[in-house]
Amino acid sequence: MALASVPHGCVLAQPDDYAAARIRMVQLQLEGAGRDVRDPRVLQAMAEVPRHEFVPPPLREYAYSDSALPIGFGQTISQPYVVAFMTERLEPKPSDRVLEIGTGSGYQAAVLSKLVAEVYTIEIVEPLGRRAEADLRRLGFDNVRVRIGDGYRGWPEAAPFDAIILTSAVSEVPQPLIGQLKDGGRLIAPLGPSSYQELYLLKKRGEKLERQAILPVRFVPMTGEVLKGAPP
Ligand code: SAH
């Protein structure tokens, strides 16, 4: 089968090579041995979104490798498995409106945009947000709205959301974000110190917030207002 002709780590120059590498990524890194992403819609979205368009050109040949990659400004695009895992656990539905804090490259927003009605995403580093917005427009992800700013206070005008995803680490989920989650809504966030976190899935049930640790992870820390009053 054609996929076998794309050995791991080879230089990918042709568009078809990228498509083949993407399918290998899904088979090996998401569904393969020791991996557990099973939602067919999520697997399909991961097979379609061109991750190489969201990584800096010098790193494109590694776009479908099993790792996070630097995107500039000390930030990273998450490992494909982590993106797929978080997306699946958010239980995205076609009618959903989702908020992302930490646009970064725009890749996670692009994956979500295939699965839900609208994605709202906020990025605090202006050049990153502008670049992601341009890439998302260029590639036709028209149901994503990008805002430059501190995501700590969410996006009140567009609230409430069916799901919220934080892609930078915090010690506790900012209260305004919990307030912008619908009843029955899902929120995923890496919680913990800067060196090591646990991915938590929170579900809002009336006044109650159910909370479950689902995966050990390492994300860059959230900056901005969340740091006020935090220990150095
Ligand atoms: N989801 C991204 C990965 C982002 S890395 C992707 O798919 O590429 C985390 C991002 O969160 C970084 O770009 C960082 O600048 C951003 N960030 C950190 N603190 C933030 C804040 N308070 N508000 C919005 N974005 C923030």
Side-chain angles (χ1 to χ4, degrees), residues 50-69:
R51 191 170 193 263
H52 62 279
E53 299 279 3
F54 294 91
V55 306
L59 297 177
R60 284 209 173 141
E61 63 178 290
Y62 307 109
Y64 298 102
S65 62
D66 196 13
S67 58
L69 293 171

Side-chain angles (χ1 to χ4, degrees), residues 170-192:
V170 277
S171 52
E172 280 301 325
V173 179
Q175 200 56 44
L177 299 180
I178 292 171
Q180 291 174 25
L181 191 61
K182 270 189 198 167
D183 193 12
R186 295 82 59 199
L187 184 150
I188 272 194
L191 301 184

Side-chain angles (χ1 to χ4, degrees), residues 62-146:
Y62 307 109
Y64 298 102
S65 62
D66 196 13
S67 58
L69 293 171
I71 55 171
F73 304 91
Q75 306 303 326
T76 55
I77 176 173
S78 306
Q79 181 189 5
Y81 171 68
V82 172
V83 172
F85 179 86
M86 291 174 89
T87 305
E88 182 175 59
R89 301 307 293 265
L90 275 183
E91 299 171 36
K93 294 176 190 59
S95 57
D96 280 355
R97 295 163 68 253
V98 179
L99 174 66
E100 178 189 35
I101 308 302
T103 315
S105 67
Y107 177 67
Q108 171 76 71
V111 170
L112 281 167
S113 88
K114 293 259 184 202
L115 300 166
V116 303
E118 284 170 62
V119 180
Y120 295 80
T121 181
I122 307 177
E123 173 55 54
I124 202 165
V125 177
E126 179 162 6
L128 277 179
R130 294 270 173 250
R131 186 174 69 194
E133 186 173 31
D135 287 338
L136 289 161
R137 286 296 85 76
R138 176 173 60 83
L139 297 164
F141 294 99
D142 295 329
N143 60 343
V144 182
R145 289 199 219 164
V146 182

